[in-house]
Amino acid sequence: MNPGKPLVIFGVVLVAVGLYLLFGGKLPSFGHLPGDIVFRRENVTIYIPITTSLLLSAILSLLFYLAHR
């Protein structure tokens, strides 16, 4: 098994996380994207991360597709 592909994918993920941490205050963070639904009542908060889930699913699908190729 060639270790090159997993190392490149790991490097890309590491760079993406690093950029997110570097520019995190200037960009909308996961969990607070437009399209995420938050219901707040007196003692209860219900959070439904629709947009975050779709974005995370697309990113992971792309990574797994590239890793499998």
Side-chain angles (χ1 to χ4, degrees):
M1 181 168 170
N2 187 2
K5 281 185 183 180
L7 285 175
V8 169
I9 291 171
F10 180 72
V12 169
V13 170
L14 197 60
V15 167
V17 169
L19 288 173
Y20 176 75
L21 292 175
L22 184 63
F23 297 111
K26 299 172 186 161
L27 299 173
S29 62
F30 283 119
H32 295 88
L33 295 173
D36 291 345
I37 300 170
V38 179
F39 295 108
R40 288 191 178 99
R41 297 286 182 210
E42 295 173 8
N43 296 330
V44 177
T45 300
I46 299 174
Y47 178 69
I48 306 170
I50 295 172
T51 306
T52 301
S53 298
L54 290 173
L55 183 62
L56 191 59
S57 175
I59 291 169
L60 288 174
S61 294
L62 179 65
L63 287 175
F64 285 128
Y65 172 76
L66 291 174
H68 184 33
R69 265 182 105 208

